[in-house]
Amino acid sequence: MEEVTTIALEQAEMIHAIDSVWVAICAAIIFLMEGGFALLEAGFVRAKNAMSIIAKVMIDIAVGGLAFYIFGFGIAYGNSNGWFAFDIGITTEDLGLGLTVSNKLFWFIQLGFAIAAISIVSGAVAERMKVWAYAIFVFVFCAIMYPLAANWVWNPEGWLAVRGFNDFAGSSAVHAMGGFAALAAAIVLGPRIGKYQPDGTSNPIPGHNLPLAAVGGFILWFGWFGFNPGSTLSAVGNWELIGTVVTNTFLASAAGGVSTMLYTYFRYGQIDVTMAINGVLAGLVAITAGCNVVDSNSAIIIGLVAGVLVDVAVLFFDKIKIDDPVGAIAVHGINGLFGTIAVGLFASENGLFFGGGFDLLAIQALGVLVIGSFSFVVTYILMIILKKTVGVRVTPREERAGIDAVSFGVEAYTVFE
């Protein structure tokens, strides 16, 4: 009997060790995505504002990380009443998730999700937002706003979780949350100087370094293979699920890139490579909710739709004079919305297109609409408060000269003769 007990303990220890290595690797890959955000967004803005993007992403990690440690994790994963919880730091109590890794390691991988969500906003407010106002917003977002959405979706007592809402890795809780916050922030800030003519026509403001943006896109693409598979939170016993998630993640992203290339070619007469980058990201965002429950063919269809949807959405927001320098609202907000709803259509079990009726579709639509609306409204109110107190926008002189030189005393590219 004692020998059996020893073997069981050794097996449990082995499971904990393997799962810890798996989650730690995925968490590190997710953390690397911040480098992708920095390069992508820096490449898509003008050279005079490139370093301000780097500063904002560093604020996302440092300020957002501390906020998520102090308040955010406890609000997201504490003892929930269905809508919120409250705890400080990283609790040692059982979170009710059946984890085979420590709460501290779970906190670290969840940190990656929190700072990814806020990094979506940094691109939409690029070239015109004050750095300290942005830092305040980051703290509130990572301490309260994002954790509330995570509580609803991933806390076992969350009101969406108990209703069967499926958002495996965050199309809604991360991407729609960040995307609709970006929409509200961009509206309050207003467009960049010179972006729109008095008659409403748009002036293109091209990014200064598209190869840099492309490298950022590739890093984000790579990072998604930690983001989605890492959401299994364990490797032992999940090899089939991990394989499904990885395959669906790739197929949707590839389909998104292809459909954007085809769409821009037939619409404009040539492939728009910058939009193709966003098309890949749109496919990734859209599949993130349902990568665990759809089949491979459905993943391709989801990616194909997302790749077209992102281009249409970019043009729509530009037409109504909402200035988003990197397309964050279209990539993350619109495709986070679409991807969450797509679960209700394409899930192999209970999806509408697979004979499951409207129940899953209804809860998917309800969840993402509530999360998107919550993010938009709270961000809008917070931005208005910041606007009337500390101010949210740099001066016209700073904007014309470039935020890097005026606010940071440094430029991205210097020439010594």
Side-chain angles (χ1 to χ4, degrees):
M1 185 65 180
E2 184 176 340
E3 183 179 350
V4 173
T5 302
T6 301
I7 293 173
L9 289 173
E10 290 175 350
Q11 287 179 335
E13 185 66 24
M14 185 66 72
I15 290 171
H16 289 310
I18 293 171
D19 289 346
S20 294
V21 171
W22 165 250
V23 173
I25 290 172
C26 289
I29 293 172
I30 294 169
F31 192 87
L32 180 63
M33 292 176 75
E34 293 304 305
F37 277 114
L39 296 181
L40 178 81
E41 295 172 7
F44 274 156
V45 303
R46 289 167 288 188
K48 63 182 181 180
N49 296 312
M51 292 308 297
S52 71
I53 287 292
I54 305 302
K56 286 185 173 67
V57 174
M58 290 183 70
I59 288 170
D60 294 339
I61 299 170
V63 175
L66 290 173
F68 189 69
Y69 169 76
I70 298 168
F71 298 112
F73 186 75
I75 289 174
Y77 293 103
N79 187 16
S80 177
N81 62 7
W83 292 91
F84 67 90
F86 186 76
D87 204 344
I88 299 293
I90 304 173
T91 179
T92 57
E93 296 181 4
D94 183 9
L95 301 178
L97 296 169
L99 296 177
T100 52
V101 300
S102 72
N103 285 1
K104 291 180 179 179
L105 182 55
F106 179 65
W107 169 80
F108 184 64
I109 194 170
Q110 291 303 310
L111 168 68
F113 285 68
I115 59 178
I118 189 59
S119 292
I120 294 165
V121 181
S122 65
V125 301
E127 303 200 282
R128 60 207 192 278
M129 188 167 182
K130 288 183 175 181
V131 65
W132 290 116
Y134 181 75
I136 294 170
F137 177 73
V138 169
F139 188 90
V140 175
F141 186 94
C142 292
I144 302 172
M145 291 174 59
Y146 166 78
L148 285 173
N151 185 296
W152 304 341
V153 174
W154 293 317
N155 191 300
E157 302 300 324
W159 71 274
L160 285 171
V162 299
R163 287 168 172 79
F165 184 76
N166 190 95
D167 187 12
F168 185 70
S171 288
S172 184
V174 175
H175 297 285
M177 186 73 193
F180 284 97
L183 174 60
I187 291 173
V188 175
L189 276 173
R192 290 167 290 175
I193 294 172
K195 176 61 179 175
Y196 298 106
Q197 298 279 14
D199 64 0
T201 56
S202 174
N203 294 320
I205 303 179
H208 83 283
N209 193 328
L210 298 186
L212 190 71
V215 172
F218 283 120
I219 292 174
L220 286 171
W221 199 348
F222 169 76
W224 240 281
F225 293 99
F227 203 90
N228 286 3
S231 294
T232 59
L233 299 177
S234 64
V236 177
N238 276 332
W239 49 84
E240 188 64 39
L241 175 60
I242 291 170
T244 297
V245 170
V246 167
T247 301
N248 287 340
T249 298
F250 173 76
L251 292 175
S253 61
V258 169
S259 67
T260 302
M261 290 181 191
L262 292 173
Y263 181 81
T264 55
Y265 178 78
F266 286 107
R267 176 158 185 163
Y268 309 116
Q270 52 191 187
I271 294 173
D272 186 335
V273 178
T274 61
M275 283 306 305
I277 295 170
N278 276 342
V280 169
L281 298 179
L284 290 165
V285 169
I287 198 58
T288 293
C291 55
N292 63 322
V293 294
V294 303
D295 63 29
S296 298
N297 294 330
S298 296
I300 293 172
I301 295 171
I302 291 170
L304 290 172
V305 174
V308 174
L309 190 58
V310 67
D311 189 78
V312 173
V314 165
L315 294 177
F316 170 77
F317 288 116
D318 200 31
K319 186 174 182 179
I320 62 175
K321 300 182 183 179
I322 296 175
D323 185 13
D324 178 4
V326 305
I329 301 166
V331 171
H332 300 277
I334 299 305
N335 277 289
L337 174 67
F338 164 66
T340 306
I341 293 174
V343 174
L345 300 173
F346 292 99
S348 299
E349 296 182 13
N350 301 322
L352 180 64
F353 295 160
F354 290 82
F358 288 91
D359 289 348
L360 180 59
L361 178 61
I363 189 60
Q364 293 296 120
L366 174 64
V368 72
L369 290 174
V370 169
I371 289 171
S373 300
F374 164 75
S375 183
F376 179 88
V377 171
V378 175
T379 299
Y380 190 89
I381 293 171
L382 181 57
M383 287 290 291
I384 291 294
I385 293 172
L386 291 172
K387 183 177 182 180
K388 293 183 180 296
T389 52
V390 299
V392 294
R393 185 157 180 159
V394 299
T395 66
R397 182 186 72 85
E398 289 176 311
E399 188 172 341
R400 290 189 176 95
I403 299 175
D404 292 359
V406 177
S407 297
F408 299 102
V410 66
E411 297 180 9
Y413 306 97
T414 57
V415 178
F416 295 95
E417 297 181 358

